[in-house]
């Protein structure tokens, strides 16, 4: 068991790390661009956000798939999630639209509160909605969002599938240099904290009724890579159970043979 897991465990990465690929070959501008084939994906679990809005705990998106890459001058993120319906029209009665957001600390020196930051520790939010397109926001707590006049990010979205088996894919990109104050600096000064939120319009999700992740991070200064520790620990536990079961069975067999 030890010889089987020792090598991969040595190169394992923490469970909340999302790897960042530097300069992958190919284009990254669209969800179907060929460059994404060389970028590993991380499955990030989502749960209902803690909120006082009605039915806040009734959300339907359980996971978002995240890929990240950098070129010489830009960060690219690709988010993909399963959504049975393509909700793009908010003008209908009780109509709500699909959306997704990425949240970073505006100041990377400390990790802000997960729920849209705090007054002294704000967050830079990259938002894409199927009805409004791209927005960039600054927030210092729930209900305190302020839009930037000119978003510094670009997005490209695609919905694929039908008949209840659809998937949204959204690509975000922004220059590595922070274009102004209160925008997150994207450089190699250490880990970059990141969190995600997804709204399913057909389920009535909007505002504080949303599916959210915990804080994750991008290892901008490099990292161990490899599979997450959590996966390998479960692998170790499974192998240990198999080993113990085999040893116990063999012991019973030996004991039975001696008695006869």
């Amino acid at each position: 068991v030890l010889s089987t897991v020792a090598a991969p465990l040595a190169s394992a990465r923490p469970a909340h790390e999302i790897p960042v690929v530097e300069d992958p070959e190919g284009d990254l501008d669209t969800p179907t661009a060929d460059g994404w084939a060389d970028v590993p994906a991380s499955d990030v679990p989502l749960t209902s956000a803690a909120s006082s809005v009605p039915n806040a705990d009734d959300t339907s998106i359980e996971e978002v798939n995240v890929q990240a890459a950098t070129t010489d001058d830009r960060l690219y993120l690709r988010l993909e999630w399963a959504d049975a319906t393509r909700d793009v029209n908010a003008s209908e009665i009780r109509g709500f639209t699909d959306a997704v957001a990425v949240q970073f600390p505006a100041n990377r020196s400390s990790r802000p509160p997960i729920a849209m930051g705090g007054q002294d520790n704000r967050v830079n939010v990259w938002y894409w909605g199927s009805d409004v397109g791209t927005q960039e926001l600054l927030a210092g707590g729930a209900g305190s969002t302020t839009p930037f006049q000119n978003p510094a990010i670009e997005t490209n979205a695609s919905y694929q599938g039908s008949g209840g088996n659809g998937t949204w894919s959204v690509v975000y990109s922004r220059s590595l240099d922070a274009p102004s104050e209160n925008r997150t600096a994207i450089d190699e000064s250490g880990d970059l904290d990141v969190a995600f939120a997804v709204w399913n319009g057909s389920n009535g999700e909007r505002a504080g009724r949303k599916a959210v992740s915990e804080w994750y991070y991008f290892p901008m200064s490099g990292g161990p890579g490899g599979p997450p520790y959590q996966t390998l620990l479960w692998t170790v536990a499974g192998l240990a159970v198999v080993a113990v079961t085999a040893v116990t069975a063999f012991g019973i067999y030996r004991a039975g043979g001696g008695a006869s």
Side-chain angles (χ1 to χ4, degrees):
V1 172
L2 288 176
S3 63
T4 301
V5 301
L9 188 59
S11 61
R13 60 181 173 84
H16 281 66
E17 177 187 299
I18 298 174
V20 180
V21 173
E22 295 182 7
D23 296 318
E25 295 183 3
D27 177 55
L28 298 170
D29 289 327
T30 65
T32 57
D34 56 359
W36 291 112
D38 298 325
V39 180
S42 297
D43 295 327
V44 175
L46 304 174
T47 188
S48 300
S51 175
S52 60
V53 301
N55 301 314
D57 60 348
D58 179 15
T59 58
S60 54
I61 308 300
E62 299 180 350
E63 183 179 83
V64 61
N65 182 279
V66 182
Q67 294 169 276
T70 57
T71 61
D72 290 340
D73 58 353
R74 295 188 75 80
L75 170 68
Y76 289 85
L77 304 180
R78 183 181 184 275
L79 276 59
E80 181 177 279
W81 68 98
D83 188 339
T85 57
R86 180 178 179 270
D87 307 311
V88 298
N89 190 353
S91 63
E92 299 176 355
I93 297 175
R94 296 185 179 179
F96 303 102
T97 58
D98 297 331
V100 63
V102 183
Q103 173 179 280
F104 299 100
N107 184 334
R108 290 173 59 182
S109 61
S110 61
R111 176 175 283 183
I114 189 68
M116 302 298 287
Q119 292 184 356
D120 300 322
N121 200 352
R122 293 179 289 185
V123 292
N124 187 189
V125 178
W126 300 359
Y127 177 90
W128 175 87
S130 61
D131 57 339
V132 298
T134 306
Q135 294 181 339
E136 185 180 12
L137 310 167
L138 182 69
S144 66
T145 55
T146 302
F148 287 90
Q149 289 280 340
N150 299 302
I153 57 174
E154 297 178 6
T155 60
N156 191 294
S158 173
Y159 185 86
Q160 302 289 331
S162 60
N165 293 310
T167 300
W168 275 112
S169 301
V170 178
V171 169
Y172 294 85
S173 72
R174 202 207 78 182
S175 64
L176 297 179
D177 296 329
S180 67
E181 187 180 1
N182 293 321
R183 284 180 161 119
T184 304
I186 303 172
D187 53 35
E188 297 182 353
S189 60
D191 297 334
L192 172 59
D193 290 320
V194 62
F196 308 94
V198 180
W199 291 260
N200 181 7
S202 62
N203 192 49
E205 298 171 25
R206 72 277 189 193
R209 183 178 171 185
K210 58 188 175 181
V212 298
S213 74
E214 300 178 20
W215 280 114
Y216 278 67
Y217 70 90
F218 298 132
M220 302 305 294
S221 57
Y229 288 139
Q230 190 176 50
T231 300
L232 284 170
L233 289 175
W234 279 112
T235 301
V236 171
L239 289 171
V241 169
V242 171
V244 169
T245 301
V247 169
T248 302
F250 184 69
I252 295 172
Y253 171 78
R254 288 289 303 273
S260 60

